[in-house]
Amino acid sequence: MMEEKSLLHWKNTLISIDKLFFPPVCLACNQRIESVKEVLCSECKELLSPITINYCDKCGAPMIDYSCAYCSENDFVFDIARAAFIYQSPVRELIHNFKYNAFLAPASFFSQAIMELPEADKFANNFDLITAVPLHRVRKRERGYNQSELIAKKLAIKWNIPYAEPVKRYLPTPSQTTLNAEERVNNLKNAFRLKKNADVKGKKIILVDDVFTTGTTVNEVSRVLKEAGASKVAVLTAARAI
């Protein structure tokens, strides 16, 4: 018993020392916060823009009136898309740190936000499989992880839905961030393919990504899944660009 108390004492001491020299900070504004798990300070949390009302039934885009500019201009293959937040500060900075600077705590933050979507129960109870937009093996090796995969795996555990990777990214395409809409489509042609022996026929699949910008990437992955026989594809993302 004394040994356990001693170990606990040293553990708490080490945690205190770690916080003293490496205090956790808000991943949007760098203000000090109490715990790494919080990821954002209280001020930045006040600036979050969750998408909970007035969104397109199909692609989930926030709408001012009753028409969706995204759906009118795009031929979306997926059946439905939803996002937790509008892609603006502080979510923009949070995703950047998550994606490029190896801060992994946002995976839990974003998965929890997705689980709080108005239609979360529909996704949790009516789908057979969760997957993530895949990274090319070279990019994943360079980064060390796939941020979308981390979110997807946490959702899979919370919702008790199997996680799998039926789609592979075969082409190491340039980043989509600097391309226009037409270039994005051309950039991803034949980039994704179904893996050998992957069976998605008749399955309802949740596809997870970090940001829905034009929808080109998730649409191409959805196309591969649908052509392989998936009966339904729902896209869930941490954020939605507008």
Side-chain angles (χ1 to χ4, degrees):
M1 190 71 172
M2 289 296 295
E3 184 178 347
E4 288 181 1
K5 287 184 177 180
S6 179
L7 288 172
L8 182 60
H9 170 74
W10 279 108
K11 180 180 179 182
N12 290 334
T13 301
L14 290 171
I15 290 172
S16 298
I17 293 172
D18 183 63
K19 284 186 175 181
L20 178 63
F21 290 100
F22 305 100
V25 297
C26 172
L27 295 182
C29 73
N30 292 318
Q31 180 176 310
R32 188 165 178 173
I33 55 178
E34 285 298 315
S35 169
V36 172
K37 293 180 180 179
E38 292 181 16
V39 302
L40 294 174
C41 65
S42 57
E43 288 84 355
C44 284
K45 285 180 179 178
E46 289 292 324
L47 299 176
L48 291 170
S49 297
I51 304 173
T52 56
I53 58 173
N54 300 330
Y55 51 81
C56 174
D57 289 340
K58 170 76 174 182
C59 78
M63 294 193 303
I64 297 175
D65 52 28
Y66 294 99
S67 63
C68 177
Y70 291 92
C71 285
S72 63
E73 296 175 1
N74 297 278
D75 181 21
F76 289 134
V77 177
F78 54 77
D79 296 277
I80 187 172
R82 295 289 183 268
F85 301 107
I86 292 176
Y87 185 60
Q88 61 187 24
S89 187
V91 169
R92 185 188 299 111
E93 292 82 2
L94 184 57
I95 287 179
H96 181 86
N97 275 312
F98 180 30
K99 195 169 183 175
Y100 300 112
N101 294 332
F103 289 96
L104 306 185
S108 294
F109 176 83
F110 286 129
S111 64
Q112 183 61 42
I114 290 172
M115 289 169 59
E116 293 173 2
L117 286 168
E119 300 161 281
D121 287 346
K122 179 169 65 178
F123 300 117
N125 299 318
N126 295 291
F127 284 80
D128 307 306
L129 185 72
I130 292 182
T131 190
V133 170
L135 285 178
H136 187 267
R137 57 184 176 78
V138 173
R139 187 164 295 170
K140 187 174 182 180
R141 184 169 64 242
E142 291 172 347
R143 188 176 298 172
Y145 59 95
N146 176 354
Q147 71 284 350
S148 300
E149 177 186 327
L150 297 182
I151 298 172
K153 285 184 173 179
K154 289 187 177 295
L155 287 174
I157 292 170
K158 293 291 187 178
W159 284 344
N160 194 29
I161 302 174
Y163 174 84
E165 298 175 356
V167 177
K168 183 175 181 179
R169 192 169 196 148
Y170 282 83
L171 300 178
T173 55
S175 172
Q176 296 277 89
T177 55
T178 60
L179 306 178
N180 62 37
E182 184 178 354
E183 290 171 336
R184 284 170 179 259
V185 173
N186 293 329
N187 186 43
L188 292 179
K189 279 186 177 178
N190 302 315
F192 302 102
R193 299 180 200 166
L194 196 74
K195 289 182 178 179
K196 289 182 180 179
N197 302 319
D199 182 14
V200 297
K201 190 173 183 179
K203 294 186 183 297
K204 290 179 284 186
I205 300 173
I206 291 173
L207 174 62
V208 177
D209 203 4
D210 54 356
V211 182
F212 186 121
T213 306
T214 62
T216 306
T217 302
V218 292
N219 208 44
E220 285 304 306
V221 179
S222 298
R223 190 186 311 280
V224 172
L225 293 170
K226 283 294 192 78
E227 289 177 352
S231 64
K232 189 171 187 178
V233 177
V235 174
L236 299 180
T237 60
R240 175 69 185 251
I242 56 172

